[in-house]
Amino acid sequence: METIEFNLEDSLLRGRYDSLFESCPDAFIQQSTYWAEVIKDVGPDRPFFLLCTDDGQDVAGLPLFLFEPDFGPILSSVPQAGPLGGVFVRPGLSLEKRNKAYACLLEKALGLARQNRCLALSIITNPFVQDLDLYKTYLAPDYILENFTQCADMGGLVREGCLHLRNRKYRYNITRNLKKTASRSFSIGFGESEDDLETWYDVHEKRHRQLGASPLPFSLFQNMFRQLRPQGKAHLLLVKDGDRIASGGFYVRHRNVMDVFMLSMNEDYADRAPNYHNTEHSILWAARQGVRFYNWQSSPSRKSGVYEYKKQWGAEDFGYYFLTKLFCPIEKLRSFGRQELQRCYAGHYVIPFAALEEKTDRNYFRKGE
């Protein structure tokens, strides 16, 4: 097997990588070259792509992004918001060839990190693929952070075009809130223009500030709208009261998987529960499009209201991992301090914060510990 490295300017290799990616139904949009176009100026990050070939057939791929702040460069599989997915493999590949593909790709990734004098290499795994042992073998990470995403399997959630909620308590709560929405003459449909996007972003920004959170940059949504929407891979679903937006959901999709990238409600309509209308419509629409996994992404904790909202729609926990290989002593990162690391590497994962603060020898951590 051979691993080829290329960048976005290499149209021939990019076409081959894109073709392989499109053949992988359970891959994430974040593993695509399209996503690299979305985020490359946000960091800014310099994208690299690794394409593994076997006797003329492209069998596996891995996206990587180089970020070079003053503290020192790092390499990661997916920076910025909503990161998921490392290596993806052509369906039907034998176990032997799959293992070799991981070995080739990760060897190349390690070499690329050393070549660019990186402090760390971080790879984020796919929650639908059980491949942690392969990363342990071929990446030999120094640190592992176990995280979770909340995801609903559409096969059990939607039947004959209708929601099927098995939990009686959740079914009652959703029905009650949908009745609140029905009592108001809301319209619902997909945003078609950047004016729609800007109006929704105002709602998103205001809501995040009300909650004491930092809103994501407008440029990220604008790039998704421009790059992914024409391909049918991004959708802005708006619930409106006349010309006013009551709820807006930004969704991104690749084949079997649709991510709820951002769901924002106008606080003026909180008593009418417009997010419930948005969620119901998006789930039923996704089912009609053949989506298998409705991916809510992660939550701050399993005790949060956000976690509970997702759970009532049939979402279950799927584990995945942030894997870090260090190329510097851990003391160097500890000397920066948590706040400085967060500032300097904003939008990028480097290492579990507990590893910095505990000054411990353990290398396995779980979110929320």
Side-chain angles (χ1 to χ4, degrees):
M1 284 189 179
E2 177 189 10
T3 297
I4 307 168
E5 172 199 327
F6 69 96
N7 57 34
L8 288 174
E9 285 67 46
D10 192 323
S11 58
L12 179 60
L13 286 172
R14 180 175 179 175
R16 287 169 54 183
Y17 182 100
D18 288 347
S19 179
L20 173 65
F21 173 76
E22 292 294 343
S23 75
C24 298
D26 292 338
F28 287 84
I29 190 67
Q30 292 87 349
Q31 294 167 283
S32 69
T33 65
Y34 328 129
W35 188 256
E37 296 280 11
V38 167
I39 68 170
K40 69 177 182 179
D41 298 326
V42 178
D45 296 276
R46 182 150 56 104
F48 297 88
F49 299 92
L50 304 184
L51 183 64
C52 183
T53 69
D54 178 47
D55 196 22
Q57 183 184 42
D58 299 325
V59 296
L62 173 64
L64 292 169
F65 295 84
L66 183 67
F67 183 56
E68 302 177 278
D70 292 341
F71 280 1
I74 60 169
L75 195 65
S76 57
S77 61
V78 184
Q80 302 306 329
L84 278 171
V87 172
F88 62 93
V89 176
R90 178 178 293 280
L93 201 65
S94 70
L95 183 61
E96 179 184 5
K97 289 189 175 183
R98 175 174 175 259
N99 292 354
K100 286 182 178 179
Y102 272 76
C104 288
L105 288 167
L106 295 174
E107 180 183 14
K108 189 74 170 181
L110 289 166
L112 191 60
R114 294 188 180 101
Q115 177 186 328
N116 286 278
R117 302 182 182 276
C118 291
L119 301 180
L121 164 65
S122 294
I123 293 181
I124 304 165
T125 70
N126 185 324
F128 306 136
V129 179
Q130 301 303 311
D131 55 5
L132 180 60
D133 286 344
L134 292 175
Y135 286 108
K136 286 182 176 179
T137 299
Y138 300 118
L139 179 66
D142 295 294
Y143 293 96
I144 299 175
L145 174 63
E146 180 184 332
N147 200 354
F148 65 90
T149 186
Q150 289 176 262
C151 184
D153 189 329
M154 300 290 277
L157 183 59
V158 179
R159 296 183 183 177
E160 298 180 351
C162 298
L163 279 176
H164 180 75
L165 300 167
R166 288 170 291 182
N167 185 297
R168 183 176 297 177
K169 180 185 75 171
Y170 291 146
R171 185 169 63 243
Y172 170 77
N173 188 58
I174 288 174
T175 301
R176 179 174 58 85
N177 279 288
L178 287 175
K179 285 180 179 178
K180 292 180 184 179
T181 304
S183 68
R184 189 137 191 168
S185 298
F186 288 123
S187 63
I188 188 164
F190 291 108
E192 301 291 341
S193 68
E194 290 203 18
D195 286 343
D196 289 330
L197 180 68
E198 290 178 12
T199 305
W200 167 77
Y201 184 79
D202 288 342
V203 173
H204 161 68
E205 186 176 40
K206 181 179 179 181
R207 183 59 176 158
H208 263 56
R209 297 203 186 283
Q210 287 171 338
L211 297 172
S214 298
L216 295 177
F218 177 71
S219 59
L220 181 63
F221 293 106
Q222 186 178 52
N223 290 347
M224 282 191 282
F225 200 78
R226 291 176 175 178
Q227 299 286 343
L228 303 181
R229 183 178 163 274
Q231 303 182 62
K233 293 181 179 293
H235 310 276
L236 176 63
L237 185 62
L238 302 175
V239 177
K240 289 186 173 183
D241 178 18
D243 292 332
R244 298 188 69 199
I245 293 175
S247 168
F250 204 108
Y251 303 89
V252 295
R253 177 196 170 194
H254 171 64
R255 295 193 61 180
N256 279 356
V257 185
M258 189 170 87
D259 295 349
V260 184
F261 197 83
M262 184 59 62
L263 181 63
S264 298
M265 179 188 66
N266 186 332
E267 180 66 19
D268 293 344
Y269 295 93
D271 62 330
R272 299 298 179 184
N275 275 357
Y276 280 82
H277 190 28
N278 201 312
T279 297
E280 180 195 40
H281 190 93
S282 67
I283 288 173
L284 296 177
W285 177 85
R288 293 194 297 271
Q289 305 308 307
V291 170
R292 180 184 173 192
F293 294 114
Y294 187 91
N295 179 37
W296 282 102
Q297 301 195 345
S298 194
S299 297
S301 78
R302 290 183 172 91
K303 296 180 180 179
S304 66
V306 173
Y307 180 88
E308 192 68 15
Y309 180 81
K310 299 172 182 180
K311 186 177 179 180
Q312 68 182 322
W313 295 94
E316 298 179 358
D317 291 6
F318 286 73
Y320 67 102
Y321 305 90
F322 290 75
L323 311 173
T324 301
K325 183 74 174 180
L326 285 186
F327 300 95
C328 69
I330 181 63
E331 287 74 18
K332 181 170 184 175
L333 297 181
R334 285 174 178 160
S335 71
F336 297 155
R338 175 171 177 165
Q339 288 187 336
E340 279 299 289
L341 275 178
Q342 285 180 302
R343 181 192 64 80
C344 191
Y345 295 98
H348 297 76
Y349 178 83
V350 182
I351 193 172
F353 286 130
L356 299 176
E357 297 167 345
E358 291 180 8
K359 297 186 178 179
T360 176
D361 290 333
R362 72 183 177 116
N363 69 349
Y364 193 101
F365 302 86
R366 289 183 174 88
K367 181 176 182 176
E369 284 184 331

